[in-house]
Amino acid sequence: MSKAINKLRIASLLPSTTDICISLGLHKHVVGITHECDFDPSTYSMLTVRDANLSSSSSTTDNQPTAKPPSTLTVSDIDIHTSSQAEIDDAVKNSVHNGLSLYNLNDTALTDAKPSVILTQSLCDVCAVAKDEVDTEVACNFRPGQCKVISLEPESLEEVVDTFVTVGETCGVPERGEELKAKFWSDVTKVQEAVSLSSKREEGKHQPRIMFLEWLDPPYDAGHWIPDMFEWSGCTSSLDSSQKPTRKSVRILWEQLYDCDPDVVLIGCCGFDLKRNMMDSIQAMDKLKPLRAFREGRIYAADGNLFFARPGPALREGIAILARCAYDDEDVVREALDELSFLPKEGNGWAQVHFPAKEKKQSIPDVEDLVTSDTFFELHQEACEANEDFYADPTSGYNVFTEVAHKKRGKCCGSGCRHCPYNHVNLKDKTMIQQPAFLYEGTDNANGGAFISSLSSIPPNSHIKVLFFSGGKDSYLTIRKLVQQKLQSNGTDNLHLILLTTYDFETKVIAHQDVNIDTVCRQARHLEIPLLGIPLHRSSGEEYLSRIEKGLDAVRSAIPDMKQLTLVFGDLHLEHIRQWREKELSKYSLEYPLWKIPYTELVDDLEASGVNIVVSASNQDGIGVGTTFSRTLWQDATKMGIDGFGEEGEFHSVAEVWTTSKEQALGLKL
């Protein structure tokens, strides 16, 4: 072993180069990684060379083991785990427009890591640290020749595999790079051999035509090396070559997708694992439903982050997954592929998407609908009273940890457990909470000037107002009224407001509104108002009021030293709803800022806001979903003999607050 490798210190600024380093057995020399890297050599199951020595207990031929885990060298301006695809797409577009990257380099951490080699890329300045930024940091903080910067920019599958050799040569182990390259091509050739057994080839039929979606909202097709992966997996792209003038992923219209009529659709959105892609696929069901692949049950989801987006060794598994999905209808090919040791099992990296039967959709519990099914809620209570660690779920038969067991652990494990007593504080994907928790905590304004406090900036002894928020026009107008009242009070402190939204845990849809919780999260982020989510389990047997109380406990836990807690509602004039609230919530102070305000004034305020209000659900023939709520619609609804604001449930709406500035939407800007 050369002296050079003994002094090797690698800073890997891409998850793909981190994977390559592990595959080459260089993990003990990695001193810095990105915040997105999965750095756990002991559980690494991807392609490796013979002397990779991944076991932490094994000896190594490289004489300089890393003394501590690698430092994290990057941060991102957006949390993909709590953002919808539309929000991420908006952030990317803004970054491109402004010539900025979503990823930033921690220059202090990089300098402290003292790398001798930095592995980076110049293929995309949006999805990773820009190479110019890396060059600047090296020029400013390292002596000439102290650190070598290697930029990888593969666009084809062949170029990706050649980077294995490039990294090996750069790090002093060229023979390992060549071996890894040879093993990759040898293994993917086995995929080709399996699909060659297809009867389609013998009968002169076309190869399976596949649509790989790198994004859903809006839809993007496959780019860079993925079309080459089609070829190795025995597939062809369903998009005509005239519709694909570049190797890059391009935005397509849903109508284009319907027109090309793919045999198979694989959803592997960039940066998302199988669980997230499965969830987003189900949420996009209405868009996917017109496809023949939907009707034939040939829509699949995969871990797009690991097996497709990263130009590294795991593309081998991606090729096998493509083939497995494309030839799922042929027993002989399927059996041959299943014998490949590197093909992930279904449910572990890829899976068929099973869409819910929408016609069986039940009403979602709300203020008027208590959750009364006698199921797991009482079983959990009984288990806790007996100090037991788990109980058997009555539907699945699986054991479920109780709150008692979680408290013994002493912290949130971040897995989205059903009975988490820690408000899911460590759960990254907040859409998967099962207990009440904050989906958004507001934004701290370092320069001051915020009108509504973030959760962390609320001072002791404050008056907290919790608004029951559905995302519709009434609850949105209530926010504006609270802002007006605060402005008129001439007080010097901020408005301490929290939005509280209940929604169905399974569908992520808000009762009656037919609005997804992601939309409400988007509203909260735009208005910069903390949002508490309360998922309702239809099969829990827990009553609505019990869930609300747990949600308010989460507020008390976050703000233990508050002076007063007031519950706020956007009710307009329905007496029986107000009477129910005042009876069941009598221990709280209640406010109804819009109560009995004339509709003319409410319409005036909506027009002044500049916010687009759209009908999200309707049982009226003359008021269609997607219709803009306006003064004219209000008047027309009144002429139809129904409540002009839909107070009796005739229709519901969603306030698209992002159609104007935060200040305009809140009423802070005249």
Side-chain angles (χ1 to χ4, degrees):
M1 185 61 58
S2 68
K3 293 182 179 180
I5 193 172
N6 292 337
K7 298 179 180 180
L8 181 66
R9 297 177 63 84
I10 305 169
S12 174
L13 299 185
L14 299 167
S16 59
T17 53
T18 298
D19 291 347
I20 293 171
C21 287
I22 297 175
S23 290
L24 293 174
L26 297 171
H27 53 285
K28 293 180 180 293
H29 298 276
V30 176
V31 295
I33 57 176
T34 78
H35 63 286
E36 292 185 327
C37 290
D38 310 315
F39 191 84
D40 189 356
S42 65
T43 62
Y44 189 75
S45 60
M46 302 303 119
L47 185 66
T48 57
V49 296
R50 283 170 294 179
D51 55 351
N53 292 310
L54 300 187
S55 172
S56 58
S57 61
S58 66
S59 62
T60 176
T61 55
D62 299 347
N63 299 320
Q64 189 176 343
T66 302
K68 60 181 181 179
S71 301
T72 300
L73 306 179
T74 64
V75 294
S76 175
D77 292 336
I78 186 170
D79 185 352
I80 65 170
H81 301 291
T82 60
S83 303
S84 68
Q85 291 203 21
E87 290 172 326
I88 296 171
D89 184 66
D90 287 342
V92 170
K93 288 176 180 175
N94 289 335
S95 293
V96 172
H97 177 74
N98 296 318
L100 301 173
S101 173
L102 291 173
Y103 297 82
N104 297 306
L105 191 62
N106 184 330
D107 54 347
T108 301
L110 179 65
T111 303
D112 292 345
K114 300 177 182 178
S116 58
V117 172
I118 297 177
L119 301 175
T120 185
Q121 59 90 49
S122 55
L123 192 65
C124 176
D125 287 345
V126 173
C127 59
V129 175
K131 183 177 182 296
D132 288 346
E133 183 179 355
V134 177
D135 289 338
T136 300
E137 293 297 336
V138 170
C140 293
N141 298 300
F142 292 83
R143 299 187 308 275
Q146 179 185 357
C147 181
K148 182 187 298 183
V149 178
I150 302 299
S151 178
L152 306 176
E153 43 192 305
E155 294 198 15
S156 68
L157 183 63
E158 184 175 359
E159 290 173 353
V160 169
V161 180
D162 284 343
T163 65
F164 305 167
V165 178
T166 301
V167 174
E169 291 175 343
T170 301
C171 297
V173 287
E175 71 289 345
R176 296 189 193 180
E178 293 289 353
E179 181 185 345
L180 189 63
K181 175 180 177 178
K183 288 186 69 174
F184 182 93
W185 290 126
S186 174
D187 282 350
V188 298
T189 299
K190 296 175 184 177
V191 177
Q192 282 194 330
E193 293 170 352
V195 301
S196 69
L197 302 174
S198 170
S199 61
K200 292 184 174 69
R201 300 193 174 198
E202 297 176 2
E203 298 168 2
K205 296 180 180 178
H206 66 73
Q207 292 178 309
R209 297 168 57 256
I210 194 166
M211 170 59 75
F212 185 97
L213 291 173
E214 288 196 16
W215 207 248
L216 283 170
D217 188 11
Y220 278 77
D221 78 329
H224 292 113
W225 43 85
I226 296 179
D228 297 333
M229 296 170 68
F230 290 171
E231 187 174 337
W232 280 89
S233 62
C235 307
T236 59
S237 173
S238 60
L239 275 181
D240 186 87
S241 58
S242 63
Q243 298 174 290
K244 184 69 175 175
T246 175
R247 265 197 170 272
K248 295 182 178 180
S249 174
V250 297
R251 180 175 176 176
I252 59 175
L253 301 175
W254 285 106
E255 289 72 18
Q256 288 177 268
L257 181 54
Y258 304 149
D259 290 343
C260 70
D261 190 30
D263 299 316
V264 178
V265 175
L266 181 56
I267 297 167
C269 299
C270 181
F272 292 160
D273 60 11
L274 172 60
K275 183 178 180 181
R276 173 64 186 268
N277 279 325
M278 185 71 76
M279 181 183 71
D280 286 358
S281 299
I282 291 173
Q283 289 180 355
M285 183 175 75
D286 288 341
K287 294 291 189 182
L288 297 167
K289 204 168 185 178
L291 291 166
R292 175 171 57 88
F294 179 94
R295 297 190 297 273
E296 296 178 355
R298 306 211 64 197
I299 296 181
Y300 302 84
D303 186 336
N305 179 47
L306 178 58
F307 298 126
F308 296 95
R310 296 183 187 177
L315 295 185
R316 175 191 64 168
E317 281 79 352
I319 291 171
I321 290 170
L322 280 168
R324 182 62 174 77
C325 296
Y327 289 90
D328 195 31
D329 59 340
E330 288 199 66
D331 292 345
V332 63
V333 179
R334 185 175 65 246
E335 290 170 2
L337 289 169
D338 285 344
E339 290 179 359
L340 298 177
S341 61
F342 54 86
L343 171 65
K345 300 296 183 183
E346 183 170 6
N348 182 23
W350 69 278
Q352 182 184 3
V353 181
H354 296 284
F355 294 94
K358 203 163 185 179
E359 60 274 12
K360 296 181 181 179
K361 180 179 175 182
Q362 304 173 28
S363 62
I364 302 167
D366 192 15
V367 175
E368 307 92 13
D369 313 302
L370 300 184
V371 189
T372 56
S373 304
D374 183 18
T375 50
F376 71 71
F377 177 68
E378 290 187 0
L379 292 175
H380 177 247
Q381 282 189 315
E382 292 170 359
C384 288
E385 290 170 0
N387 201 36
E388 294 177 351
D389 288 343
F390 58 85
Y391 66 93
D393 181 85
T395 302
S396 67
Y398 295 144
N399 285 336
V400 180
F401 283 118
T402 63
E403 187 173 309
V404 171
H406 291 303
K407 287 183 176 178
K408 287 180 180 178
R409 179 186 286 124
K411 63 179 181 179
C412 172
C413 67
S415 299
C417 301
R418 179 184 287 178
H419 301 294
C420 177
Y422 304 107
N423 302 323
H424 295 293
V425 64
N426 292 327
L427 178 62
K428 292 183 178 180
D429 185 357
K430 296 298 185 183
T431 62
M432 301 309 296
I433 64 171
Q434 297 208 53
Q435 292 296 321
F438 280 93
L439 303 178
Y440 174 67
E441 297 187 3
T443 302
D444 291 325
N445 191 328
N447 299 320
F451 186 82
I452 299 177
S453 299
S454 66
L455 198 63
S456 62
S457 66
I458 296 176
N461 299 314
S462 294
H463 180 188
I464 311 300
K465 296 193 175 187
V466 176
L467 169 61
F468 283 59
F469 186 75
S470 68
K473 62 185 184 315
D474 298 353
S475 50
Y476 164 60
L477 284 171
T478 305
I479 295 176
R480 285 179 60 87
K481 177 58 71 173
L482 292 172
V483 170
Q484 291 171 19
Q485 291 174 348
K486 187 65 178 177
L487 290 171
Q488 293 168 1
S489 70
N490 295 319
T492 57
D493 59 329
N494 288 353
L495 174 61
H496 309 310
L497 177 64
I498 293 171
L499 306 180
L500 181 155
T501 301
T502 60
Y503 60 96
D504 181 75
F505 170 73
E506 295 294 336
T507 65
K508 310 298 187 233
V509 172
I510 296 161
H512 313 306
Q513 302 289 127
D514 207 16
V515 171
N516 194 282
I517 188 62
D518 282 345
T519 299
V520 175
C521 289
R522 186 179 182 186
Q523 292 171 320
R525 289 192 187 92
H526 184 76
L527 299 176
E528 296 185 354
I529 305 176
L531 170 65
L532 178 75
I534 302 183
L536 302 177
H537 296 265
R538 275 184 258 154
S539 59
S540 70
E542 183 176 11
E543 291 190 348
Y544 172 83
L545 288 174
S546 173
R547 296 297 283 173
I548 294 300
E549 196 60 43
K550 285 183 179 179
L552 297 176
D553 283 344
V555 174
R556 297 185 189 97
S557 176
I559 317 169
D561 48 7
M562 72 176 76
K563 179 180 180 181
Q564 182 180 348
L565 178 64
T566 296
L567 308 185
V568 184
F569 303 94
D571 299 324
L572 302 183
H573 61 73
L574 295 181
E575 293 284 356
H576 71 284
I577 295 296
R578 179 166 179 166
Q579 289 172 5
W580 183 89
R581 298 192 199 280
E582 292 181 349
K583 175 185 176 183
E584 301 295 342
L585 300 169
S586 58
K587 67 178 181 179
Y588 293 101
S589 171
L590 309 181
E591 285 186 12
Y592 306 86
L594 303 184
W595 190 252
K596 297 296 179 69
I597 292 181
Y599 281 180
T600 52
E601 293 183 23
L602 297 180
V603 173
D604 288 344
D605 196 31
L606 278 179
E607 291 180 341
S609 74
V611 167
N612 192 36
I613 308 295
V614 176
V615 174
S616 59
S618 173
N619 59 23
Q620 301 295 313
D621 291 338
I623 303 175
V625 172
T627 304
T628 299
F629 180 85
S630 62
R631 185 179 298 272
T632 300
L633 190 147
W634 161 56
Q635 293 169 340
D636 289 346
T638 303
K639 292 176 183 177
M640 293 167 58
I642 63 175
D643 187 282
F645 265 58
E647 270 295 271
E648 300 286 354
E650 299 92 341
F651 61 90
H652 300 276
S653 62
V654 59
E656 297 181 338
V657 297
W658 50 85
T659 54
T660 188
S661 68
K662 176 191 74 173
E663 292 75 17
Q664 178 77 18
L666 290 174
L668 296 172
K669 180 179 179 181
L670 299 178

